[in-house]
Each structure stands twice: as C-alpha cells, then as structure tokens.
Amino acid sequence: MSAETADLTKVDSAVSGLSSSPTEEKKIGHRRASSSAAGVYNINDLEKEGKELQIAKETQKLNWKLNTSPATLDDKEVLKKFLTTPPVKKIDLHFPLGLEVTARNLKGVTIKDALDAIHKQFKKKADDELELPVLAGFEWDKEESWTRLIVHQKKEGAPSSGGGKKKDKKKETMNSNGSSNGWSVEGGFRKHSSEGEMSIDMFGSDAARNRRYGEIGGGAQRVPATRLTASFTSPCMGPMDERAGLKPTLPPANPTSSYWQDPFHQISNHRTTRELPKFVSTIIIGSGITGACIAYNVLGKPDTSSVLMLEARTSCSGATGRNGGHTKAASYRAFLDNVQDQGEEEAAKIARFEYNNIKAVHAFVREHRIDCDSWEGDTVDIIYDNSQWNRAEKSISAMKRILGEDDPAAQYTFHSASETAEKFLTEGAMGSVSYEAGSINAYKFVIGVLELALTRGLNLQTETPALKISRSSGGKSCWTVETPRGTIGAERVIMATNGYTAFLYPPVKGIIVPLRGTVAAQRPGTSMPKEGLRTTYSFIYGNGYEYMMFRPPGSAFAGDLIIGGCSTKAPKEGLYEWGITDDTAMDPDIGRYVRDSAAGYFGSHWGEDDPDGRIRKQWTGIMGYSSQGFPLVGMAPGEENLWMAASFQGSGMVLCFLTAKALITMMDGEDDEEMNDWFPRAFRMSEGRLKHKFHGRLHEKAPMDLELKASSETQLETDKQTIRS
C-alpha cells in the first residue's frame, strides 16, 4: 500500500454511510458465551455462526498518530463509537509485520479501546522512529482471520477520503502475501519500493529473539529467520548496544515471590558450617540447576576433597527457581539455522543433546525418587502464522532426513487446523505440531539434587554472595573469592551464574546479557476441562510466542496453568528488559499480557474466570543470553582453573543437566572424541567467542527485525569460523 493511498477497498469494510455507536444496539439472535452487555458478541461465536464484521468508517478519517494519546483527537464523540458492527468484547489488531495487540471491552470494543491498545505499544517512540506514523484504517479479511483486524498506516498527510476520484483497485487490493501493493515480503522483511527507492521497514514487530531459546524456563521456543544478505543498521542497534553494555549487579534482595518457592524449602537458608572455610578444593558459585548438578557430579568423584557452594540469596532463588518448569526442546525450530551455521552433523548433535537432556532429567528423578511433580507426555505448538507453518514443515522434513526417520529426536506429528481446534481447544490456527516433552517443579528438583550433594559432603552457604574473584598471589590456592563474610582460597572456581556472570567475570560483559522474563500461575477458566489439560502448549505467531504448561494431577494446585513469554510486549518491544538483573519488579505491560493471554487463546473454551480470581501468583526472573545464541561452557580463556557454565538462553531445563556432566569431564581432562560425539562444539567456551558482542536476539522468530544483529555474509562466515575454532 502506498503511503499516500487515499482510500482502501478492503480497509474499513463498512457499508456506505454506516456509523457504529454503542447507543445503536441491534437485536441480533445469537449464542453468547458470556457478555456484560446485551448485543455484544464473543468474536469466536461470530465466526462459528458466520456473522460478518463491519468496521466503523470513521477510523479512516482520524488522521491519528500512533505515538500520541487518542485523547488529543478533536472529535471526542467518535471515540465512543463501536469499532465493529456487531460489537465484540475482544478483538486482535494485527500489523502486517507481525505485531499484534488486543482491544477489550465487555460492553463492546470502541474506537477508543482500539486506539488505546495501539498507543500502549508506540507511546514511547519518537516521531523519527516511525516511518508510517499515522493510522490509515483497519481491514477485516475473513479469509485470513475472522477474529482479527489488520492495522494499516500511512505517512503524514490528510486523512483518507471516502469520495472523489475513482478508486485504483490495483493499488488498493492486498497482495497474496498479506502486504499491500508496493510492498513485498523477502526474508521476513517488508520491502518498499517507490520512485526508485528501496528501504527495509522494521517498524511494528517484536524484538528479534535469540537463535536458540525462549523465555524464562519456557521450554525452548525458536523461530529461525531468513538471513540478510545486505548489511544495514537497525533503529535499535544503538539502544541495544547500551543495554548489552550494562554491568550486571548482584541478585537483589526481596525478589518477586515465585510460585514454586512458596513455601520455601527447609534448606533454603542452609549454611553447612557456621564459619566459611579458609580453603577448599572447589568453589561453585550459584545454586541453580547448573550449580547443583555440577556439585553432585564433582562430589561423585573418588578423589574429590572439599566443595563449597556460594549462593547470594536463598537456595535455588535465581532463574531455575523462577522458571516455567517446561522440559521441552522444540529442536525443529532452530534446526535449519544450525544446519546452515554448524553443518548437518553438528545440527543433529544439538537436537539429540536437547532430547537426551530431557530424558536424563526425568530418569534421574525416577532413580533418586525426587519429589518434584515430574510429568512426561506430549506438548503441542499451536501455529498461527503461515510462514511459521511452512518453516516447521521444512525443518522437520530435514530432521527426519538427517537424523533418520526413527530417531526419537525427530518424532513430530502435524495436526490440521480443524483437528487442532477440536483436540487442543484453540481456534484460528494454521495447525499444530505435537511431540514428546514434559514438566517438573524445577525448584523442588534442584532442592532434591542439592540434598543429594549435601549427603556427599557439599558445604552449602546461602546468603553469601561472591563479590570478587581474583588470582591468588601464592600458596596452593589458584584463586580467591571475596564475600561479605570473608575470603576463601580455592584450587578452582566454577561460575554457574548465568545472566549474572559478567558481575564476576567482566570479559563477558556484552557477551552474556541478562534478560528479565515474566511468568504467571493461573487458575483455569470455568469452561476448561475439569480433568485438566493433557498436553503442554506453545502459542506461536508471526513475531513471537507464549509457552504454557499445566500442573499435573497429584501436585499442589493441580490443573493450574503456568504461562510465560511475552517479553516483547513492553514499550520498545521489550528493549528495557535487557541488561536488567532486577527481579524485584515487573513491567506492567508484560504483566498484563501474560495475565490475559491464556484466556485469549482458549477463547470460548475458557469461560468465566475462577471465582477466586485468575492469577494465583506472578513473578519475574533473570535469564542469560549470548551473542551467538549458545551456552558458554568450559575454562575461561587464559585463566587456568576458572570455569564457567552459563548463558542458557532461557532454557536451562533442556541444557543444564548434561552440560554439568560435560563440564566435569572437561575439568577432569577427559575431553576426548567420545565426549565430542555427544556434546555440541558450539557450546564450548573459547577466546573467539569473547570477540562477539551482543546486538540482539537472533532466530527466535520470523521475520527478524527490531534488535537485530545485522550481519553481512562476511560476518556470518566469521561467526561460523569462530564457533568451529
């Protein structure tokens, strides 16, 4: 669509002269799921009954800038009019590049409700950040989606007019790829060619995500994106560089209260000895899943003497104790990019490593009878975007070819749109993909591992933060670690500190970057299955995803839904969640989105909220992301006996257990061909990896756009060579 298009054929498809107003309710027979006002529909019911929408024509004439408050419009009465006829309680507003917001009003969504929802996303954008800053109108295309409107924008100028010149049908119709005339989608980007100019429009989409994984403990969700073949500068490259360059702090006191840590376990404040030892053979910093599994494995060695674990707060109070508990790999979502970057053999190794890690976690739980609500079953990815669907088909086909049809890591089942709606209670999807996964209470799992390590001789010291690591000046100790309670010498130090690592080891500042994630525990709606859900979920759309798991039968609050993701729903697509190590607070926009998303996905199947309220608890946690999208595992370059296992890309449940085993193997000097057969080369720490600064998450979604690491072919080749070295 040209920026100067005056009228839109399918946009604002209201009948001529129609004006929707809340005072002009029409008596239309229908089946309502639940409504606070007569004549207001659940939009999913409209689709079932085949009732078409008409959009208030006034929306074409507002001439409203997206980054200004709707209250600045002169005509206040138009804001009170219904956005659609029939009026609906909720409707999604979709931008052509993928950003999607939701307008809600139980008495009927008005024009003001729609503008308010849009304004929340753009209110902090400067005028020069918006190439098309003015609302041109809305489009309803039932062939694409019955339950959402497409938002169209234009440059500065007069609002669209309904009369005058004969409409140019060719200019006004939408292309088959969903973009308007003059735009094409190439490699996930919308390119505009006008009067000999070519530009890449990066406006309106969520932050490009890391090639690897998802939100805090969310099960690995990756949506690879097409590579750029020409370098360019993202509008957020500067701001992201600033965020990545922030030095992490220590974990702050009094974080948000995690669902899993209520109540705290009896060893949460454990101190094995009253005083700190002066010297130990091994210091492990961090008591999450990585640190706990390292401690258990180290203490299993016959020649191990003394192992001390330092924890800044209470036991397992970081990301592991604040995650979603999803043991879900979703390896297919990064597989094609791993093939491109690492080669087929390594891509297959990564997929098998993720699968085997999940199986090993649940096997360990069974072997040691750890009470952590372990559940093994299937998960399903509900896919709402055509490009995501096509990508999934290609990726899974490649996995079956490379790994083998019968390889357990390559077992996926596709479901049609109708089967998805019936089996998984979600509507409007392209289809879905199901595969093997599971869930655990990660906090209780790690507490169980720590208790096993304590029986093997671990000295656990909680509320004892490591303040500084320095090389020892002499004696048998190589390193000294300073704490508020004294200094300890050690032969070797292991940093299992994930997003906080740069606080202790400055060379990874800007290499490992913290990201705050948000999670909520919800009571299911009254119309959800009484027996509970049978699978865990991810909801995948054009520019991101949410993940959701359920509390299994027999667990506390069985049937509760744990949902997370959504970090890009904050202003500036979540830019200011990067570089943060403060889990005492929560972004309000992300919090609202997390709170409302599950009910939105299940639609009429949700029903009313539980009488005790939808939210049982909501909290945040700090993850760690690397510049190349893989963990950093091994010895710090040039620093004998200073080790790390960090930056697990928001998916520690899929990586940490076997990574701990790999690190111990490296420390024992047994890093040989046998280990190379199962541990991915791309995960290894190296001097070359310290040269790659973080510019934004890659490959989490398609298309890639904001906060993108723009790489030329030369830079891509350099990346590959660095990892392979």
Side-chain angles (χ1 to χ4, degrees):
M1 177 175 57
S2 169
E4 306 299 328
T5 300
D7 292 296
L8 304 167
T9 300
K10 294 167 71 178
V11 175
D12 290 340
S13 53
V15 296
S16 177
L18 176 66
S19 176
S20 307
S21 171
T23 60
E24 298 173 355
E25 296 179 357
K26 299 186 178 183
K27 297 181 179 180
I28 308 173
H30 66 283
R31 176 176 57 84
R32 296 194 305 271
S34 62
S35 175
S36 298
V40 179
Y41 284 72
N42 182 317
I43 196 165
N44 294 305
D45 291 341
L46 289 178
E47 182 177 13
K48 291 177 183 177
E49 298 173 12
K51 293 185 182 295
E52 298 196 354
L53 290 176
Q54 294 174 328
I55 306 170
K57 63 182 179 62
E58 290 87 352
T59 57
Q60 285 194 48
K61 305 175 182 179
L62 296 174
N63 207 31
W64 172 67
K65 292 178 66 175
L66 280 62
N67 60 347
T68 61
S69 171
T72 60
L73 291 174
D74 293 331
D75 188 356
K76 300 296 190 294
E77 289 303 311
V78 74
L79 296 176
K80 301 177 183 178
K81 297 181 181 296
F82 285 136
L83 177 65
T84 65
T85 300
V88 294
K89 294 186 290 183
K90 183 189 78 168
I91 192 163
D92 293 327
L93 308 175
H94 181 82
F95 289 77
L97 280 183
L99 175 67
E100 195 162 283
V101 299
T102 303
R104 294 178 174 85
N105 189 332
L106 292 179
K107 296 182 179 180
V109 172
T110 64
I111 293 175
K112 182 180 185 300
D113 296 324
L115 301 191
D116 284 341
I118 294 171
H119 180 237
K120 285 180 181 179
Q121 291 293 320
F122 302 104
K123 60 186 178 182
K124 293 188 178 181
K125 286 188 177 290
D127 288 351
D128 58 2
E129 292 182 85
L130 305 180
E131 185 175 69
L132 300 174
V134 178
L135 179 70
F138 299 93
E139 172 192 359
W140 181 65
D141 186 351
K142 65 180 180 182
E143 301 301 325
E144 180 175 344
S145 174
W146 201 290
T147 60
R148 74 182 185 189
L149 304 182
I150 299 172
V151 182
H152 289 281
Q153 302 150 246
K154 60 183 179 179
K155 292 183 178 180
E156 298 278 5
S160 300
S161 172
K165 297 180 181 179
K166 183 179 179 180
K167 297 175 182 177
D168 185 338
K169 299 292 183 181
K170 183 177 180 180
K171 287 186 178 180
E172 293 171 356
T173 56
M174 301 293 290
N175 292 334
S176 60
N177 62 12
S179 61
S180 46
N181 189 279
W183 294 89
S184 63
V185 177
E186 296 184 22
F189 291 89
R190 192 172 63 165
K191 296 187 177 182
H192 179 220
S193 62
S194 174
E195 298 180 355
E197 297 180 349
M198 175 69 77
S199 63
I200 298 179
D201 177 24
M202 299 175 62
F203 170 72
S205 290
D206 286 351
R209 301 199 174 183
N210 185 276
R211 83 172 61 173
R212 300 294 305 152
Y213 303 103
E215 303 299 331
I216 177 168
Q221 287 305 318
R222 292 146 288 177
V223 185
T226 304
R227 294 279 195 178
L228 282 181
T229 56
S231 62
F232 66 98
T233 301
S234 161
C236 279
M237 285 289 283
M240 177 52 81
D241 286 342
E242 293 176 7
R243 304 303 299 177
L246 296 175
K247 183 179 178 179
T249 65
L250 282 170
N254 303 314
T256 52
S257 177
S258 168
Y259 177 81
W260 310 110
Q261 299 172 43
D262 186 7
F264 287 108
H265 192 272
Q266 61 185 10
I267 69 164
S268 64
N269 298 103
H270 182 85
R271 288 182 177 176
T272 304
T273 58
R274 190 168 191 171
E275 302 295 331
L276 293 177
K278 297 298 182 183
F279 174 83
V280 294
S281 63
T282 303
I283 294 177
I284 301 170
I285 304 173
S287 66
I289 184 172
T290 306
C293 292
I294 289 171
Y296 176 82
N297 281 282
V298 167
L299 289 162
K301 299 290 182 178
D303 57 347
T304 300
S305 52
S306 53
V307 178
L308 172 70
M309 177 177 285
L310 300 176
E311 169 55 54
R313 300 188 299 205
T314 59
S315 298
C316 194
S317 58
T320 308
R322 320 180 74 76
N323 69 17
H326 220 168
T327 51
K328 172 175 178 170
S331 302
Y332 76 96
R333 298 184 39 105
F335 189 77
L336 292 179
D337 282 287
N338 290 339
V339 168
Q340 177 182 331
D341 291 347
Q342 305 296 317
E344 291 186 356
E345 183 179 350
E346 281 297 305
K349 187 187 299 182
I350 292 170
R352 291 189 177 110
F353 180 85
E354 294 168 345
Y355 177 84
N356 291 335
N357 191 97
I358 292 172
K359 302 300 288 184
V361 166
H362 289 282
F364 188 88
V365 170
R366 290 192 298 272
E367 179 184 356
H368 297 279
R369 299 182 179 181
I370 297 176
D371 178 17
C372 61
D373 307 326
S374 175
W375 175 86
E376 296 177 86
D378 282 345
T379 189
V380 63
D381 292 348
I382 311 295
I383 301 176
Y384 296 91
D385 180 79
N386 187 59
S387 64
Q388 304 283 24
W389 180 259
N390 292 337
R391 181 79 180 194
E393 291 181 321
K394 292 177 182 178
S395 184
I396 291 170
S397 175
M399 289 187 73
K400 290 183 178 296
R401 175 180 62 81
I402 295 169
L403 278 73
E405 290 281 345
D406 298 326
D407 193 296
Q411 301 308 303
Y412 296 89
T413 301
F414 284 93
H415 305 274
S416 67
S418 59
E419 184 182 4
T420 298
E422 180 179 354
K423 186 173 183 178
F424 303 115
L425 310 180
T426 55
E427 299 174 357
M430 299 291 300
S432 57
V433 181
S434 62
Y435 47 100
E436 188 175 358
S439 66
I440 60 173
N441 181 326
Y443 176 69
K444 291 174 69 175
F445 172 74
V446 170
I447 291 295
V449 177
L450 288 174
E451 288 183 313
L452 292 172
L454 287 168
T455 64
R456 289 184 167 188
L458 174 67
N459 184 340
L460 171 60
Q461 296 288 331
T462 62
E463 299 182 284
T464 307
L467 302 177
K468 184 180 180 181
I469 302 173
S470 56
R471 190 179 291 278
S472 178
S473 58
K476 62 179 180 179
S477 64
C478 297
W479 298 94
T480 58
V481 177
E482 298 178 21
T483 80
R485 299 170 57 207
T487 299
I488 314 110
E491 293 179 12
R492 61 188 181 187
V493 174
I494 305 167
M495 294 176 286
T497 43
N498 205 28
Y500 296 94
T501 303
F503 175 82
L504 293 170
Y505 184 61
V508 296
K509 184 168 73 74
I511 309 299
I512 299 176
V513 180
L515 173 66
R516 184 168 63 189
T518 303
V519 190
Q522 305 186 3
R523 301 174 181 90
T526 56
S527 295
M528 295 290 281
K530 301 304 179 185
E531 67 277 12
L533 296 172
R534 299 179 180 178
T535 65
T536 64
Y537 285 71
S538 289
F539 306 98
I540 300 167
Y541 40 92
N543 61 349
Y545 77 96
E546 281 77 59
Y547 68 86
M548 189 190 76
M549 46 87 68
F550 63 90
R551 301 286 284 124
S555 63
F557 306 120
D560 272 11
L561 305 178
I562 312 299
I563 188 163
C566 325
S567 68
T568 57
K569 299 302 180 183
K572 290 189 179 293
E573 290 76 35
L575 174 66
Y576 295 106
E577 296 299 284
W578 290 98
I580 288 180
T581 46
D582 179 13
D583 54 6
T584 68
M586 181 185 308
D587 180 89
D589 293 296
I590 297 174
R592 281 190 293 270
Y593 190 89
V594 172
R595 183 174 63 244
D596 295 340
S597 56
Y601 286 122
F602 289 107
S604 60
H605 296 289
W606 182 265
E608 301 291 344
D609 282 344
D610 187 282
D612 292 330
R614 179 182 297 177
I615 299 299
R616 195 180 295 277
K617 196 176 285 287
Q618 197 164 6
W619 65 98
T620 57
I622 306 302
M623 301 168 283
Y625 285 80
S626 70
S627 54
Q628 293 172 317
F630 298 112
L632 282 80
V633 183
M635 188 186 296
E639 304 288 0
E640 189 73 21
N641 281 326
L642 179 61
W643 301 85
M644 71 171 64
S647 192
F648 290 101
Q649 322 299 309
S651 194
M653 305 313 300
V654 182
L655 297 171
C656 292
F657 188 83
L658 291 183
T659 292
K661 176 183 175 182
L663 185 69
I664 299 304
T665 303
M666 294 178 190
M667 292 167 57
D668 289 345
E670 300 173 0
D671 187 357
D672 53 20
E673 286 303 314
E674 181 180 351
M675 179 172 155
N676 287 333
D677 287 341
W678 62 270
F679 188 68
R681 182 176 57 222
F683 293 9
R684 292 175 179 270
M685 182 61 168
S686 69
E687 188 172 354
R689 294 193 68 183
L690 296 180
K691 298 177 181 178
H692 289 263
K693 294 293 184 180
F694 186 91
H695 294 300
R697 292 195 289 184
L698 299 172
H699 304 286
E700 183 65 18
K701 66 183 185 62
M704 286 167 31
D705 57 320
L706 204 57
E707 298 174 6
L708 177 73
K709 175 184 176 184
S711 299
S712 65
E713 290 296 328
T714 301
Q715 181 63 51
L716 290 174
E717 189 58 37
T718 301
D719 290 351
K720 297 177 191 177
Q721 292 174 0
T722 298
I723 294 177
R724 288 169 182 164
S725 68

